[in-house]
Amino acid sequence: MGQLEDMAMFVRIVEAGSITKAAEQLNIAKSAVSRRLKELETRLGSQLISRTTRQSHLTQAGEQYYQKVNDILSAVDAMNEQTSGASTRIEGTLKITAPLSFGLMHLNDVIDDYANQHPNLDFELNFSDRHVDLIEEGYELAIRIRELQDSSYQAKRLAVIRYALCASPDYLNKMGTPKTLEDLEGHEFLQYGLGKTSNLELTDAQGKKHSHTIKARIKATNGEFLLDLAVKGHGIIFIPTFIAYQRLSQGDLLPILQQYQLPTLSAYAVYPKNRFLSQRCRYLIDHIAERFGENPYWDDF
């Protein structure tokens, strides 16, 4: 193995959090990773990672080496892309994680198009609402729908995520259609998440915010499950339009209190801050952003 390969292996150990996890991500034996790390430290004449039976951490020399090596590897990757030109063949494996419902409902066509454009590219897609640690679990890219707070990641906005407050025609005929916030009292709600209560925030035409506490009889951690129950008449639902758009378009659900503005979120492409962003990943981010944008197709209902 050359020096650049050893540098890359060291970075993988640091970012994975352990030799064991690095070996799993690299698909090689733990003993081989340990041996190469020891050989690297011997060649440098300095211990980079302090290891005990229970834990390991970077030494001061290791921290300095990690920062410099990251810069070197990123520069080498960038130079390789620039030298080989724009016609470089997109290949390798793109490992992505995305929210379950969003992935199932909206990424199939995206991946279909991208896979057809780049037949030498492999994909590993994890659709889960669990928060995935990209570095520790070896993912190159995540799509996240939330306000971003983790400073160890960089992000590019892909689309605006709007919400609908709605219920089925049968439910509204039975319980009455709310015309004001006060009318929400006594109505049944379906709640995303298992918290005791949930707060619904609405903004009126004058910009004043109003809050309504939801006490739901039925709670779940999947939006599509709740959507089906709303269609069956089990109550009012506050749900992203990317989940509900087909039911709203077909009239299976009707929006209510449209004089109020509902909160919005954003969908982001998220990737580790200190790692070079590969061409395969960068092109996919641009492809998704172009496809969705500020006025995604699911809001046209």
Side-chain angles (χ1 to χ4, degrees):
M1 288 290 177
Q3 193 166 352
L4 284 176
E5 287 82 1
D6 286 344
M7 288 179 179
M9 182 212 62
F10 172 72
V11 168
R12 183 62 66 96
I13 293 171
V14 174
E15 295 184 347
S18 71
I19 291 174
T20 300
K21 289 180 179 177
E24 291 174 355
Q25 292 178 12
L26 294 167
N27 197 29
I28 60 177
K30 177 183 174 183
S31 58
V33 176
S34 296
R35 185 183 67 253
R36 286 176 57 187
L37 175 60
K38 189 173 182 179
E39 290 172 352
L40 177 63
E41 291 175 325
T42 300
R43 187 165 65 246
L44 296 173
S46 182
Q47 185 179 24
L48 302 175
I49 298 178
S50 176
R51 303 178 285 282
T52 66
T53 55
R54 292 193 174 185
Q55 60 182 359
S56 62
H57 63 271
L58 284 173
T59 63
Q60 184 175 358
E63 291 179 0
Q64 294 173 350
Y65 187 72
Y66 172 71
Q67 294 298 329
K68 292 178 181 178
V69 162
N70 246 328
D71 293 340
I72 291 170
L73 293 175
S74 291
V76 169
D77 284 340
M79 180 182 66
N80 287 341
E81 281 197 4
Q82 291 168 3
T83 302
S84 56
S87 61
T88 302
R89 186 167 68 171
I90 301 298
E91 55 188 3
T93 299
L94 188 49
K95 192 173 179 182
I96 311 166
T97 179
L100 178 62
S101 294
F102 189 85
L104 294 178
M105 298 182 74
H106 301 288
L107 291 185
N108 194 290
D109 287 344
V110 170
I111 298 302
D112 175 47
D113 287 347
Y114 201 64
N116 287 333
Q117 291 174 26
H118 306 290
N120 296 296
L121 182 62
D122 295 332
F123 297 84
E124 293 183 15
L125 297 109
N126 174 15
F127 295 142
S128 170
D129 293 328
R130 176 180 67 87
H131 181 81
V132 174
D133 188 313
L134 302 187
I135 295 173
E136 183 174 328
E137 299 185 43
Y139 285 88
E140 190 169 6
L141 176 67
I143 294 175
R144 291 191 174 152
I145 301 173
R146 63 178 66 190
E147 294 304 322
L148 300 180
Q149 297 174 337
D150 194 332
S151 61
S152 64
Y153 295 126
Q154 293 190 86
K156 177 175 179 177
R157 193 167 185 253
L158 298 174
V160 62
I161 302 298
R162 298 180 177 90
Y163 282 78
L165 187 65
C166 51
S168 72
D170 287 345
Y171 175 85
L172 295 175
N173 287 334
K174 177 182 176 182
M175 301 297 294
T177 301
K179 303 295 184 184
T180 67
L181 279 176
E182 290 73 22
D183 291 344
L184 293 176
E185 296 295 336
H187 276 275
E188 296 286 347
F189 280 88
L190 298 162
Q191 178 181 314
Y192 181 85
L194 303 180
K196 187 175 182 180
T197 60
S198 176
N199 285 321
L200 174 63
E201 191 174 87
L202 303 165
T203 304
D204 64 26
Q206 289 71 45
K208 183 179 179 181
K209 295 185 183 297
H210 304 265
S211 182
H212 179 80
T213 300
I214 295 173
K215 295 180 180 178
R217 186 167 69 93
I218 300 177
K219 306 171 185 176
T221 57
N222 181 264
E224 291 172 276
F225 177 86
L226 293 170
L227 181 74
D228 285 341
L229 287 177
V231 170
K232 292 172 181 175
H234 286 278
I236 297 170
I237 189 170
F238 174 68
I239 190 167
T241 54
F242 74 77
I243 296 178
Y245 74 107
Q246 291 174 318
R247 294 296 198 172
L248 287 162
S249 178
Q250 294 164 3
D252 296 329
L253 292 173
L254 301 176
I256 62 172
L257 298 178
Q258 291 184 280
Q259 69 270 35
Y260 291 95
Q261 182 178 337
L262 300 173
T264 62
L265 288 174
S266 294
Y268 292 96
V270 177
Y271 47 94
K273 179 178 285 187
N274 295 321
R275 186 181 294 173
F276 176 75
L277 186 64
S278 68
Q279 197 173 49
R280 61 178 176 263
C281 191
R282 193 163 63 245
Y283 283 6
L284 178 61
I285 292 172
D286 292 342
H287 184 70
I288 297 172
E290 183 178 348
R291 189 179 187 92
F292 297 159
E294 290 302 307
N295 295 293
Y297 63 84
W298 57 76
D299 282 337
D300 185 20
F301 58 84

